[in-house]
Amino acid sequence: PGGAALAAEPPRPLDEPVSDARRWGILVETNKCDPECTACVTACEGEHGLTGHGRPASDAQWIRKVDLENRETGHRKSLPVMCQHCEHPPCVDVCPTGASMKRVDGIVQVNKHICIGCRYCLMACPYKARNFVHEELHDQKPYSPRGKGTAESCNMCVHRIDAGLEPACVVACNSKGGGAMTFGDVKDPDSAIARKRKAMATQAIRADLGTNPGVRYTGL
């Protein structure tokens, strides 16, 4: 997706350090998420150059659609699940090299230069949001480096956020999907996401773990 949808922030100069004055987050309103819609998944794959090899168990999937069903009533929900960008990320706790890291603005990502491919983070993530790169990669995106033998996951399109843009999945959801996703600074009380989180009952996946995800949902 292009840069039509802008975050309520100007681009961050490259020589300016990230600030903890902000915490970026995403809110998903599941009642607006069409089970048949995969706009967010397609946008993510295009933005980061993710290609499949016909092996669903090991193909890179930074965001996936998950269907939930109430066993008592049969009521179904569809929602996107990606790295939840936890305040207390288990993937960071178990990483022996510091490759799994969290920026002070809440974005969790992997430093490819020091990842040794131990896959501890894959086992530690309770959201099954981490992948491992098994194949040689070609035609990579310069702003989203990947590498064989390393772990990876959704980085909330950090390159777009630093340029003042919204993540690709959010742009696609609002332009091609049902408008279920809202992105912004949850610390800014005047931001759209903060206002929605105040007005709606939101839930975190596996809230019992105390990770305090930056990604929240309504209607779970």
Side-chain angles (χ1 to χ4, degrees), residues 93-107:
D93 292 340
V94 302
C95 180
T97 67
S100 286
M101 49 84 70
K102 179 174 72 72
R103 298 200 331 178
V104 294
D105 59 0
I107 298 175

Side-chain angles (χ1 to χ4, degrees), residues 27 186 192-202 212-214 216:
L27 176 65
V186 300
I193 190 171
R195 293 197 304 269
K196 285 188 175 183
R197 284 176 52 146
K198 182 178 180 179
M200 302 177 179
T202 66
N212 191 20
R216 298 297 177 93

